Amino acid sequence: MSPLRLRIDGRTFRDDQNREVTLHGINCAADAKFPATPNQPSHVADKFFDGDNVSFVNRPFSVEDATTHFARLRSWGYNTIRYIFTWEAIEHAGPGRYDEEWIQHTIAILRKAKDYGFYVFMDPHQDVWSRFSGGSGAPMWTLYACGLDPTLFDVTEAALVQNVYPEPQNYPKMIWATNYTRLVCQVVFTLFFAGNEFAPKAIIDGKNIQDYLQDHFIGAVEHLAKRIHEAGDLWHDPIVGFESINEPNRGLIGYQDISVIPSEQKLQKGTSPTAWQAILTGSGNACEIDTWEFGGMGPYKSGSSLVDPEGKSAWLSPEYDDTRYGWKRDPGWRLGECLWAQHGVWDPKAKTLLKKDHFAKDPRNGARIDYEYFNNHWWLDHWRRYSKMVKSVFPDSLMFLQPPVLEIPPSIKGTEDDDPNIVFCPHFYDGITLLTKKWNRVWNIDVFGVLRNRYLTPAFAIKIGESAIRNCFAHQLTAIREEGTDKMGIHPCLFSEIGIPYDMDDKYAYKTGNYSSQIAALDANHFALEQSHASGFALWCYTVNNNHFWGDQWNGEDLSIYSVDDKPVPNAGPFTEAESRASLDVNSPSYSRAQSAETLSVGPSNLGKSLSVDPMSSQSKDGDVRGLRAAEAFIRPTPITTHGDLSSYGFDLKNATFTLSLSASSSTPDEFPTVIYLPEFHFPTSTVETSGGKWSISPEEHNGAVQQILRWWHAEGDQTITVKGVVRKQGNVLSSEDDEGYLQQYQRNCAVM
């Protein structure tokens, strides 16, 4: 077997010539979250609960179509794929029943990725546990194993699931993420990570539910890994490693009082029950629950709502056929009753809370639990098991480590867990843009600084002006990377998810073809990545079937850089005049509307409109108005391999100027120069200035995917290069009078906080 194409040297990736490699990646693909047969995006209810009889073959796309998609991504400058797959895709039919057809399809797709020279790391993806609890990931049978009945999650609000939501097109924006703080996720993640400690009566097939679930999850990924090993031609090229489970959550572990919302819970939207209220409604009891909305300054309480399941329970009834999947549940674990009641947390007859602090301390030693404690104990224990499994199949695997989102990473620096092959993989999204689906160029918030208590009051975390917002993003990403180094040691940092919503401003870009807001937001995120000195990233996301009405076909998300309803990106050369007007004229009415005072925050007066879904097509009465989907921002120059150490790089979109600096201990060998992706999209012609050496610009072909490549031969020492391309029409976004008006609006918002 050939040497690994990618190795780690401190905080950098290196190729076999010891050049620094920058991973410029994309998540492929978001529609791998749901089955292909039947085709079941999250708005389709038909046969939804027939979860055993599905197939993920042809996700992320068919073998026949793989050439089209990989050629497209390669031509856009991506060299890395975060390959999305789910536990459900492997083991949907029941415990230990693996879908070999899907595995062989996956192997065939990975071989296509190899043809295009991608680096690939495998991501076992999940969101709020499962499709049947409003997300993706685990098979349906895992919920039955936990004693839960997914057919009654909707009436009890144990989870909000778009597939069974009345009028799924009106499913509220981003409400799916609140499922982490509803009953199902609170139960299942607690059991997955710490069932031994907090639910010792939950025994199935002679083992605690924690071990049962983890054994099957790790076993499913191991089965896939072994099949990849047996294929004989995928390890090292293209696959370089495995990531840990996506966006893990602690469930109830560490809740000091389940009768109140924990102070660290920052996302509240729609009904927002306490864990105790979720327990009550999950067992069929009516509760008056506070409702919240998310405005420009974050969540705010909007009222209350009666949730009345009318006696229906999210827990399996005693009549359920518990032999369906072949397991044997211990008699001490009774169906028809809340598992927490069986552990003395509450009295279902009196409906009284008995142990509000049941999850507050570690039963093994009495230690107080917070998220950091959880990460250093239960999450780390799982990581050790998972990592050991991967290393048993691929001893030299890079291990892409992803702790819970925006939480303090585990303290493994200098310990046995400080594996030199670890890659730190945090996630980052601008929450205000993601949840309000608007790009606010006037102000934003340093969320990470607030989470780490770096301000006396959150008001000091507010950043005013677009330059300050861009720098704020960069500072947050840098701080996240540095925190990883402080806690885990020196490792590469790769942001394995970062991205923006495209359906901003009530989908206004889809009516006009003008993507100015999306360009500004996406460019700000890329600017932050470039300034943070991360070793790479994987943008979220690429979705084959994205369209303007359903977005990514999953829970109302619309983050794909590709859509069937948008204009294809030109292969090369300057825009036509019409394309320039459609996609870059930031003085257009759509851009002005996107930044109007009305859209700076979401409140009771405009909430209804903000949450509405406007059915529309990519056609208007004036003809075809499709745009380029902010390609100006995501197709950008980037270093591929650097001879020496990369000091800094960045792309100034406004001025179409790319700069890079490096430090080399020797001059560049003739056959292994520094290599830069220089998209013809921005650089149909170029002016190059260097500190010295020689350079060339020429096309490079990968099985039909053509990239424009700059090669640079330079001397040792500190070196710089600047490349200037074609400046497109930009213009001034706002006048000084507009800026003053928006600042006044911001001050009024602060006055009512």
Side-chain angles (χ1 to χ4, degrees):
M1 187 175 290
S2 61
L4 195 65
R5 289 174 65 215
L6 200 65
R7 65 178 180 84
I8 290 175
D9 180 15
R11 68 170 188 85
T12 66
F13 298 106
R14 298 279 171 177
D15 67 7
D16 55 4
Q17 299 301 319
N18 203 39
R19 291 179 296 181
E20 182 173 345
V21 177
T22 302
L23 297 189
H24 189 78
I26 187 79
N27 279 268
C28 184
D31 37 9
K33 294 181 178 185
F34 54 84
T37 307
N39 182 30
Q40 203 158 61
S42 66
H43 58 271
V44 173
D46 186 44
K47 298 182 180 180
F48 177 59
F49 291 112
D50 191 13
D52 304 342
N53 299 306
V54 297
S55 172
F56 286 73
V57 173
N58 291 328
R59 297 284 187 239
F61 29 71
S62 69
V63 176
E64 294 74 22
D65 290 342
T67 295
T68 297
H69 298 296
F70 285 141
R72 178 180 292 143
L73 293 172
R74 188 73 187 185
S75 70
W76 291 347
Y78 295 106
N79 65 358
T80 302
I81 298 290
R82 185 186 187 226
Y83 195 92
I84 307 300
F85 71 95
T86 63
W87 178 7
E88 183 186 11
I90 306 172
E91 201 177 6
H92 52 81
R97 298 177 61 186
Y98 301 132
D99 190 334
E100 297 292 347
E101 184 182 2
W102 174 82
I103 291 172
Q104 292 308 310
H105 169 75
T106 300
I107 287 172
I109 295 293
L110 290 169
R111 285 183 173 134
K112 291 291 186 179
K114 179 176 181 176
D115 289 343
Y116 287 89
F118 287 107
Y119 300 105
V120 174
F121 63 100
M122 306 296 290
D123 164 41
H125 206 82
Q126 77 80 34
D127 308 272
V128 295
W129 187 257
S130 168
R131 288 192 299 124
F132 305 94
S133 49
S136 67
M140 183 179 69
W141 60 259
T142 62
L143 295 165
Y144 289 107
C146 292
L148 293 162
D149 186 349
T151 67
L152 292 172
F153 291 168
D154 56 341
V155 69
T156 58
E157 291 201 4
L160 301 182
V161 183
Q162 188 186 23
N163 298 80
V164 294
Y165 194 82
E167 298 181 338
Q169 68 272 21
N170 293 326
Y171 189 69
K173 299 176 184 178
M174 295 303 296
I175 204 165
W176 70 264
T178 68
N179 283 322
Y180 276 117
T181 52
R182 299 180 188 275
L183 178 72
V184 176
C185 282
Q186 290 176 333
V187 169
V188 177
F189 279 105
T190 303
L191 299 182
F192 182 83
F193 284 111
N196 282 299
E197 285 70 45
F198 295 108
K201 295 182 179 181
I203 304 297
I204 189 168
D205 279 356
K207 61 179 69 173
N208 186 271
I209 187 65
Q210 173 185 342
D211 299 316
Y212 186 83
L213 293 172
Q214 289 204 32
D215 285 352
H216 277 285
F217 168 71
I218 292 173
V221 180
E222 180 179 23
H223 186 80
L224 173 62
K226 287 180 176 178
R227 287 287 187 262
I228 290 172
H229 184 277
E230 292 166 4
D233 60 343
L234 295 175
W235 189 245
H236 294 181
D237 183 10
I239 298 175
V240 297
F242 280 76
E243 190 172 9
S244 56
I245 190 169
N246 183 70
E247 298 188 352
N249 188 271
R250 64 174 174 170
L252 290 171
I253 303 165
Y255 273 46
Q256 298 302 303
D257 181 351
I258 63 172
S259 68
V260 300
I261 301 290
S263 60
E264 60 269 26
Q265 182 178 324
K266 302 302 181 185
L267 176 59
Q268 291 179 267
K269 190 175 176 68
T271 52
S272 184
T274 66
W276 167 229
Q277 289 174 321
I279 288 170
L280 285 171
T281 56
S283 290
N285 304 289
C287 278
E288 189 77 20
I289 295 175
D290 290 343
T291 58
W292 288 67
E293 298 300 343
F294 200 96
M297 298 302 293
Y300 63 92
K301 183 178 176 180
S302 60
S304 64
S305 177
L306 179 67
V307 177
D308 186 1
E310 298 180 345
K312 296 184 175 72
S313 173
W315 298 96
L316 285 173
S317 73
E319 289 74 34
Y320 172 73
D321 180 9
D322 212 20
T323 66
R324 172 180 175 181
Y325 292 106
W327 56 57
K328 184 176 181 181
R329 198 181 304 268
D330 189 271
W333 183 359
R334 300 183 300 275
L335 296 184
E337 183 179 350
C338 172
L339 183 59
W340 304 135
Q342 296 180 54
H343 286 86
V345 176
W346 68 293
D347 182 347
K349 292 182 179 180
K351 299 183 178 61
T352 55
L353 181 59
L354 303 176
K355 295 173 63 178
K356 65 181 182 181
D357 60 349
H358 178 73
F359 307 96
K361 295 181 179 180
D362 188 338
R364 299 170 295 189
N365 55 26
R368 185 183 186 278
I369 304 168
D370 57 16
Y371 228 128
E372 189 172 5
Y373 186 94
F374 167 79
N375 287 346
N376 279 290
H377 292 81
W378 289 285
W379 182 86
L380 189 56
D381 288 343
H382 169 71
W383 160 261
R384 288 169 179 147
R385 289 192 61 196
Y386 180 81
S387 178
K388 182 179 179 181
M389 176 276 293
V390 174
K391 292 298 186 70
S392 73
V393 183
F394 300 116
D396 56 354
S397 178
L398 304 188
M399 295 302 304
F400 293 76
L401 180 153
Q402 185 194 150
V405 177
L406 293 181
E407 299 296 339
I408 298 173
S411 299
I412 63 173
K413 183 178 180 179
T415 71
E416 292 182 357
D417 295 306
D418 190 0
D419 183 341
N421 271 355
I422 281 177
V423 180
F424 176 39
C425 290
H427 290 181
F428 177 85
Y429 292 96
D430 168 28
I432 290 177
T433 302
L434 190 64
L435 288 162
T436 65
K437 296 200 176 186
K438 301 179 188 299
W439 173 245
N440 185 342
R441 65 173 293 274
V442 179
W443 54 265
N444 207 298
I445 298 173
D446 178 5
V447 173
F448 189 74
V450 172
L451 291 174
R452 294 299 181 269
N453 299 311
R454 294 177 179 173
Y455 299 96
L456 292 175
T457 170
F460 293 155
I462 297 171
K463 309 300 178 183
I464 302 174
E466 195 157 22
S467 293
I469 292 168
R470 289 164 62 90
N471 288 328
C472 175
F473 288 1
H475 293 157
Q476 289 183 77
L477 267 60
T478 301
I480 292 169
R481 177 184 62 77
E482 291 175 344
E483 183 179 69
T485 300
D486 291 342
K487 294 294 182 180
M488 298 194 303
I490 298 174
H491 301 282
C493 174
L494 180 146
F495 285 88
S496 59
E497 282 190 32
I498 186 169
I500 63 141
Y502 275 85
D503 54 340
M504 296 183 189
D505 315 317
D506 296 324
K507 301 188 179 183
Y508 201 79
Y510 299 163
K511 298 175 181 178
T512 65
N514 187 293
Y515 280 88
S516 297
S517 292
Q518 290 83 352
I519 292 168
L522 195 54
D523 184 53
N525 279 264
H526 279 90
F527 168 81
L529 287 163
E530 292 160 356
Q531 293 294 309
S532 72
H533 297 285
S535 304
F537 70 91
L539 189 69
W540 188 271
C541 61
Y542 183 81
T543 307
V544 175
N545 297 307
N546 177 286
N547 62 51
H548 285 178
F549 186 80
W550 291 112
D552 296 336
Q553 312 268 335
W554 185 84
N555 283 332
E557 286 203 344
D558 192 354
L559 285 81
S560 175
I561 62 172
Y562 170 78
S563 176
V564 297
D565 285 343
D566 281 307
K567 198 168 290 187
V569 177
N571 289 330
F575 297 139
T576 65
E577 183 180 356
E579 288 169 338
S580 181
R581 283 201 307 268
S583 59
L584 284 175
D585 185 358
V586 293
N587 291 312
S588 71
S590 67
Y591 197 90
S592 298
R593 181 189 178 282
Q595 308 309 330
S596 68
E598 175 191 5
T599 66
L600 286 179
S601 63
V602 179
S605 63
N606 61 8
L607 178 63
K609 183 170 67 175
S610 297
L611 293 181
S612 67
V613 176
D614 182 17
M616 62 185 70
S617 72
S618 59
Q619 300 288 323
S620 75
K621 64 181 181 180
D622 297 320
D624 188 353
V625 295
R626 293 176 299 163
L628 290 179
R629 206 163 177 85
E632 297 87 339
F634 69 77
I635 299 179
R636 56 202 295 125
T638 186
I640 300 174
T641 52
T642 303
H643 176 74
D645 297 310
L646 187 61
S647 302
S648 66
Y649 75 95
F651 178 52
D652 179 349
L653 175 59
K654 181 179 180 180
N655 296 300
T657 300
F658 175 75
T659 57
L660 180 147
S661 63
L662 60 83
S663 179
S665 59
S666 64
S667 59
T668 309
D670 287 344
E671 63 272 35
F672 300 113
T674 290
V675 179
I676 298 167
Y677 168 67
L678 195 70
E680 200 168 357
F681 190 87
H682 291 293
F683 298 89
T685 60
S686 304
T687 301
V688 181
E689 300 175 358
T690 72
S691 54
K694 61 182 182 179
W695 52 269
S696 70
I697 298 175
S698 61
E700 183 175 290
E701 191 262 343
H702 293 268
N703 288 317
V706 179
Q707 296 179 321
Q708 182 169 263
I709 298 297
L710 186 152
R711 291 174 174 81
W712 179 26
W713 293 264
H714 50 78
E716 65 182 68
D718 295 336
Q719 305 291 331
T720 61
I721 188 169
T722 299
V723 189
K724 296 181 180 179
V726 174
V727 177
R728 310 297 180 187
K729 181 179 179 181
Q730 296 282 329
N732 294 320
V733 176
L734 296 166
S735 68
S736 59
E737 292 82 3
D738 289 329
D739 280 329
E740 183 178 355
Y742 294 145
L743 182 56
Q744 291 172 355
Q745 174 67 26
Y746 156 74
Q747 291 169 337
R748 289 195 294 271
N749 286 346
C750 287
V752 299
M753 287 177 60

